Amino acid sequence: MMTKTIAEIIWLAGIVGWYVIRHPYARRSKKQAISRSLTDRREWTLLIVASLGLAVIPALYLATGLASSLDRPFIPALAWIGLPVMGLALWLFYRSHADLGNNWSASLKVRQSHLLVTNGIYRLIRHPMYASFFLLGLAQFLLLPNWLAGSAGLIGALILFAFRVGREEEMMLQRFGAEYSAYAGGTKRIVPWVY
Ligand code: SAH
């Protein structure tokens, strides 16, 4: 049986899972020397917008009933779809971290010993971690029956992706040159074979 409370617990468990997956990689990546950082105010804004949409707004909704006037009816079938979407999001998030390893950073950075990763999940798409944010946002939409709290994650992920991906690819191109053009020429960004 799927209830509103169970759907909310699934979302919460997903966010805890997200943090548990990231934590060890975040600790390790702190030790990697930086050769170039594009972390400016714009980057910080994007990170804040994405965190607001994917975590803070939905958490406040659960804790305080924020924007409850925007509640929509709870539809168990939607929440049932949300469960595997959340599972897929976490799996993709884990795979991206496992494959990127020490090359990962929360904001745009090139490490001194940066390696271009083209294997594993990166063979299929160039931005699996951003794809996992879209799936996380979709799971949030399916699990939380509120127009604001449900949609905030997809909007946050979209803003982060739209304002960052061009800069990130430009940065990678400057660092890896022909190697990156060849890689980018043979892969899609988010959806395999499509986009
Ligand atoms: N856009 C990727 C990675 C997000 S993390 C994804 O969605 O999966 C952002 C950092 O990852 C960037 O600062 C960049 O340094 C690094 N990065 C992105 N693509 C990479 C690749 N193919 N190989 C190595 N590092 C990469």
Side-chain angles (χ1 to χ4, degrees), residues 104-105 108-109 114-115 117 122 127-130 168 172:
W104 173 79
S105 51
L108 295 182
K109 287 188 180 98
H114 212 113
L115 298 173
V117 177
Y122 286 85
H127 303 290
M129 199 172 287
Y130 301 151
E168 178 170 331
M172 297 302 283

Side-chain angles (χ1 to χ4, degrees), residues 22 96 100 103-111 114-118 122 125-131 164-165 168 171-172 176 180 183 189-190:
R22 165 150 289 179
S96 330
L100 265 191
N103 303 297
W104 173 79
S105 51
S107 64
L108 295 182
K109 287 188 180 98
V110 178
R111 306 287 180 184
H114 212 113
L115 298 173
L116 178 64
V117 177
T118 60
Y122 286 85
I125 42 175
R126 298 200 291 284
H127 303 290
M129 199 172 287
Y130 301 151
R164 186 192 254 188
V165 72
E168 178 170 331
M171 180 187 84
M172 297 302 283
F176 294 102
Y180 191 75
Y183 169 58
R189 279 174 162 169
I190 294 285

Side-chain angles (χ1 to χ4, degrees), residues 84-169:
V85 173
M86 178 60 91
L88 194 63
L90 292 181
W91 176 80
L92 199 56
F93 188 61
Y94 169 70
R95 284 310 325 158
S96 330
H97 268 302
D99 290 337
L100 265 191
N102 284 334
N103 303 297
W104 173 79
S105 51
S107 64
L108 295 182
K109 287 188 180 98
V110 178
R111 306 287 180 184
Q112 274 170 22
S113 54
H114 212 113
L115 298 173
L116 178 64
V117 177
T118 60
N119 60 344
I121 197 75
Y122 286 85
R123 189 190 291 271
L124 213 55
I125 42 175
R126 298 200 291 284
H127 303 290
M129 199 172 287
Y130 301 151
S132 81
F133 292 170
F134 283 116
L135 287 172
L136 189 67
L138 180 61
Q140 180 179 331
F141 180 80
L142 294 166
L143 289 166
L144 303 182
N146 178 277
W147 291 115
L148 175 73
S151 314
L154 277 174
I155 296 169
L158 190 66
I159 293 174
L160 174 73
F161 176 76
F163 287 93
R164 186 192 254 188
V165 72
R167 257 185 135 190
E168 178 170 331
E169 294 193 339

Side-chain angles (χ1 to χ4, degrees), residues 16-32 93-94 97-98 101-102 104 111:
V16 172
W18 189 94
Y19 184 79
V20 168
I21 291 168
R22 165 150 289 179
H23 186 68
Y25 293 98
R27 274 185 63 172
R28 246 185 285 157
S29 85
K30 268 191 207 142
K31 298 181 196 133
Q32 297 300 311
F93 188 61
Y94 169 70
H97 268 302
N102 284 334
W104 173 79
R111 306 287 180 184

